[in-house]
Amino acid sequence: MSIQQQKEAFELNKDKFVYDSARLTFTGIDGFTVYNCSIPFTWEGKDYIYGRVEKRDQWARSWVRLFEKTGKDQYALVPGHMIYQLEDPYIADIQGEFVLGGTHVVKKSGKIDTLYGYFYRGTHIDDLEYFTTGPRGMKDIRLVDRKDGTIGVFSRPRNEAVKAKYGSESMIGFTTIRSLDELTDEVIENATPIEGIFANGEWGGCNQVYLLAGGRLGIIGHQSYTQPQEGGVDLAVYLNIAFEFDPETFAVSNRKVIGTRSCYPAGEPKLPQLADCTFTSGIALREDGKVDLYAGIGDEGEGRITIDYPFSAPLA
């Protein structure tokens, strides 16, 4: 079954899978939209989220800002906190340190030239230090602590060489390092591809990775394709997906769609081609055993839906 058929089957029964849907609200940031956020996280007893901040009528002029939770689905800007010139933030706890990642866009003569993944680390969110850069042109690099004490590294090459060899627009690669000091662009670039995730013309990547009991890794990611439209702009369709990965055998299992744009509250997309786009952030566990899935919606806001826990094993 193609990913488009999987999407259609999921949406026919989405009322059975989605228990709640909400839009996050952000204050202290008048005149800007906030979208493609990190997952919520806790530090010193307070809940926070990093968000991509940008004016609605601008593109590739984003900042990442920190917001504190003030109520259900409500966040307020933390004044005076570090401003990062990044897009699409990601946060993880790696070997006892916060690691903040995001995409830095490079321009020449006012036009986009390329992009890089930037990484910051530290034990205090008010003092994260920039420490390494990913390969040229690569987004969606993700890290996770492994059961054996090493760090799993997921890459996402997307280029003509990948398309020529695999047919898909991008791949996901995997490798391991012993410490954050070993995270370099060469290590990421040479990660071993995980085959069989994306079909011809598709692209996608990991957005948040979780260590599961038993040692497998649970991935919350996105899978994307272009949907031609008669007499209109072609849609860039982005789906929320989940799958499990065995880092020893490279086997992928339990892969499924867990959310689509129609599951989230309505909103006008930033561009017409993003009308069916939901860029995954990740999940947060709930006390009732379900999870809240967070995602950017149409590059104009951040949404949350409540779904069943997507993996076959609990978090380690």
Side-chain angles (χ1 to χ4, degrees):
M1 185 183 297
S2 70
I3 189 61
Q4 184 174 349
Q5 291 171 323
Q6 293 175 52
K7 174 182 183 287
E8 292 170 353
F10 176 88
E11 290 184 327
L12 283 174
N13 296 283
K14 67 181 181 181
D15 291 343
K16 298 179 181 178
F17 305 133
V18 179
Y19 303 100
D20 188 27
S21 176
R23 173 186 289 271
L24 273 58
T25 60
F26 297 88
T27 59
I29 202 77
D30 292 348
F32 291 82
T33 56
V34 183
Y35 64 100
N36 292 9
C37 298
S38 73
I39 58 170
F41 65 98
T42 301
W43 183 70
E44 292 190 344
K46 295 182 178 180
D47 296 326
Y48 298 93
I49 197 169
Y50 280 104
R52 174 177 173 175
V53 176
E54 192 171 50
K55 289 188 176 181
R56 186 178 177 90
D57 61 350
Q58 295 180 341
W59 197 266
R61 194 185 177 202
S62 299
W63 296 270
V64 165
R65 305 291 303 270
L66 182 68
F67 297 84
E68 182 182 345
K69 187 174 183 179
T70 56
K72 185 178 180 181
D73 301 317
Q74 298 176 346
Y75 290 84
L77 180 70
V78 178
H81 188 79
M82 177 70 179
I83 301 173
Y84 301 90
Q85 193 170 359
L86 299 172
E87 299 178 351
D88 305 345
Y90 145 82
I91 190 81
D93 182 351
I94 303 296
Q95 294 186 342
E97 293 187 69
F98 285 113
V99 173
L100 171 67
T103 301
H104 178 75
V105 175
V106 177
K107 293 184 177 180
K108 290 185 178 180
S109 301
K111 297 182 179 180
I112 295 175
D113 177 62
T114 188
L115 55 88
Y116 293 93
Y118 277 15
F119 294 87
Y120 299 76
R121 64 189 287 188
T123 57
H124 194 296
I125 60 171
D126 289 335
D127 188 24
L128 299 181
E129 179 182 0
Y130 167 65
F131 74 100
T132 199
T133 302
R136 178 183 175 91
M138 189 183 295
K139 296 182 178 183
D140 304 330
I141 303 160
R142 297 295 185 263
L143 310 178
V144 63
D145 280 339
R146 293 188 61 200
K147 187 178 181 181
D148 62 4
T150 63
I151 301 169
V153 180
F154 288 88
S155 67
R156 201 220 67 172
R158 184 180 184 184
N159 51 48
E160 289 301 317
V162 167
K163 187 175 181 180
K165 185 172 182 178
Y166 298 102
S168 57
E169 296 284 337
S170 74
M171 293 289 287
I172 296 174
F174 179 77
T175 189
T176 60
I177 54 178
R178 291 169 295 180
S179 74
L180 290 173
D181 295 332
E182 297 181 356
L183 186 65
T184 66
D185 56 345
E186 292 89 356
V187 165
I188 299 166
E189 191 79 67
N190 291 317
T192 303
I194 307 168
E195 299 190 32
I197 298 177
F198 304 126
N200 285 355
E202 297 176 359
W203 69 95
C206 302
N207 295 83
Q208 199 77 26
V209 186
Y210 304 82
L211 176 63
L212 305 179
R216 291 198 310 277
L217 302 175
I219 287 84
I220 303 296
H222 64 282
Q223 189 163 352
S224 312
Y225 62 93
T226 300
Q227 178 66 50
Q229 300 290 297
E230 290 187 8
V233 63
D234 292 346
L235 296 178
V237 181
Y238 279 69
L239 312 175
N240 312 138
I241 64 167
F243 62 91
E244 295 172 35
F245 173 70
D246 187 327
E248 304 302 328
T249 66
F250 270 56
V252 172
S253 59
N254 196 22
R255 184 160 61 95
K256 56 193 172 187
V257 175
I258 57 173
T260 67
R261 176 63 186 90
S262 66
C263 299
Y264 297 87
E268 186 69 23
K270 187 165 186 172
L271 296 173
Q273 58 262 43
L274 300 174
D276 203 358
C277 171
T278 169
F279 186 73
T280 315
S281 297
I283 59 171
L285 299 181
R286 295 166 52 100
E287 292 183 357
D288 60 7
K290 294 179 172 55
V291 299
D292 285 326
L293 170 62
Y294 292 84
I297 44 179
D299 279 13
E300 57 84 15
E302 182 79 9
R304 175 190 60 80
I305 59 175
T306 302
I307 61 173
D308 289 322
Y309 179 76
F311 304 125
S312 63
L315 300 188

